[in-house]
């Protein structure tokens, strides 16, 4: 177990990759940390990689999919380079919370489907974010989000920076989202319609902000 909290470091030393017995690595409030060791995937026993309030982090180690024992990965940053795509998540049996950043770097829906989110039955909290809301990529964002269907037992779902006009079909399906307790929709500037969130039996928190083009809620003007 290794917990690094409130450190001013900008990078983790590569020697951490030699801690072969390490099962839990927690990085908390390291506001200057920008990258993780390239060879972190040598930690074959790593079960939980928890990254909280490390807002300067811009890159994950490559080939995260090699960490077959990983059960918690609460942050994943997508890049267009080989070894940094959503396919790295395909075979990981992740649970708890997962925030996927950099979705503007996903080229097509096939790459998004490779994340295999719907099969991750232990996932409780999913948050998706795009760093670019360029209207030119709105159609691609819609296809990407359609392919990122979460498991039906999800408790919390949120997204920000989504540039699509339409929300995916799975967000209209109350049976898929029936377990949701919390929904956060932030800065989805082009969306014109909210899904039928009022029909979700367990929803207790709904946060909607920055949806300036919203015209309809559940087909009602």
């Amino acid at each position: 177990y290794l917990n690094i909290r409130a450190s001013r470091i900008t990078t983790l030393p590569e020697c951490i990759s030699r801690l072969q017995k390490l099962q839990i690595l927690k990085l908390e409030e390291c506001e200057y940390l920008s990258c993780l060791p390239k060879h972190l995937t040598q930690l074959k026993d790593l079960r939980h990689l928890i990254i909280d309030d490390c807002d300067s982090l811009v890159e994950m180690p490559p080939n995260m999919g090699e960490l077959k024992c990983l059960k918690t990965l609460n942050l994943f940053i997508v890049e267009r380079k080989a070894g940094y795509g959503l396919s790295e998540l395909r075979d990981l049996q992740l649970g708890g919370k997962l925030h996927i950043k950099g979705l503007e770097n996903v080229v097509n829906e096939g790459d998004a489907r490779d994340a295999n989110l719907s099969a991750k039955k232990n996932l409780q909290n999913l948050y998706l974010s795009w760093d670019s809301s360029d209207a030119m990529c709105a159609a691609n964002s819609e296809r990407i989000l359609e392919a990122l269907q979460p498991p039906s037992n999800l408790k919390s779902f949120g997204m920000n920076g989504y540039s699509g006009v339409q929300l995916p079909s799975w967000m209209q399906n109350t049976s898929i989202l029936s377990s949701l307790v919390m929904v956060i929709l932030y800065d989805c500037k082009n969306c014109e319609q909210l899904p039928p969130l009022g029909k979700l039996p367990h929803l207790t928190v709904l946060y909607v902000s920055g949806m300036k083009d919203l015209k309809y809620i559940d087909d009602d003007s």
Side-chain angles (χ1 to χ4, degrees):
Y1 176 97
L2 175 61
N3 185 358
I4 301 176
R5 184 183 181 92
S7 170
R8 298 176 66 87
I9 57 173
T10 57
T11 58
L12 288 179
E14 284 292 339
C15 62
I16 283 180
S17 303
R18 298 200 294 269
L19 301 176
Q20 292 299 307
K21 300 295 185 182
L22 193 64
Q23 295 184 9
I24 302 171
L25 175 58
K26 295 182 73 173
L27 305 169
E28 301 176 296
E29 298 177 24
C30 299
E31 59 180 310
Y32 302 104
L33 183 67
S34 61
C35 61
L36 303 179
K38 297 290 185 186
H39 300 292
L40 195 73
T41 50
Q42 292 179 3
L43 299 176
K44 301 303 182 185
D45 283 350
L46 194 64
R47 286 158 170 74
H48 307 283
L49 176 56
I50 301 164
I51 304 169
D52 281 323
D53 295 327
C54 300
D55 295 334
S56 297
L57 194 66
V58 295
E59 185 177 83
M60 303 298 293
N63 306 311
M64 290 292 290
E66 295 179 4
L67 294 173
K68 302 299 185 184
C69 292
L70 208 58
K71 302 298 182 187
T72 305
L73 177 65
N74 68 324
L75 176 65
F76 185 78
I77 303 172
V78 183
E79 295 185 66
R80 298 196 180 196
K81 299 179 289 187
Y84 294 85
L86 284 173
S87 60
E88 296 300 320
L89 301 178
R90 182 195 296 121
D91 299 322
L92 298 181
Q93 300 303 310
L94 299 177
K97 176 183 178 182
L98 173 61
H99 179 186
I100 303 177
K101 296 179 68 174
L103 284 168
E104 71 280 359
N105 293 318
V106 181
V107 176
N108 59 60
E109 62 267 34
D111 294 339
R113 205 170 288 112
D114 278 346
N116 198 23
L117 292 185
S118 61
K120 302 186 192 312
K121 303 302 182 184
N122 293 322
L123 205 60
Q124 298 289 303
N125 183 324
L126 177 65
Y127 198 82
L128 307 173
S129 59
W130 288 255
D131 292 334
S132 170
S133 57
D134 186 353
M136 294 294 290
C137 61
N140 189 54
S141 295
E142 291 180 5
R143 292 190 292 269
I144 299 306
L145 187 55
E146 184 69 53
L148 289 173
Q149 179 179 322
S152 57
N153 56 320
L154 199 68
K155 294 288 189 285
S156 174
F157 173 75
M159 62 180 183
N160 75 59
Y162 175 66
S163 61
V165 175
Q166 303 294 327
L167 291 172
S169 59
W170 55 262
M171 287 189 73
Q172 314 292 333
N173 189 334
T174 53
S175 64
I176 293 177
L177 304 179
S178 62
S179 297
L180 280 180
V181 175
M182 175 185 291
V183 173
I184 299 170
L185 302 174
Y186 182 77
D187 214 18
C188 304
K189 295 178 180 178
N190 300 321
C191 281
E192 294 184 349
Q193 180 177 348
L194 278 183
L197 299 173
K199 297 176 182 176
L200 299 179
H202 303 294
L203 192 69
T204 56
V205 178
L206 173 61
Y207 180 82
V208 180
S209 177
M211 298 181 72
K212 63 184 180 60
D213 283 351
L214 191 64
K215 296 180 177 66
Y216 305 99
I217 298 177
D218 191 18
D219 292 330
D220 292 329
S221 177

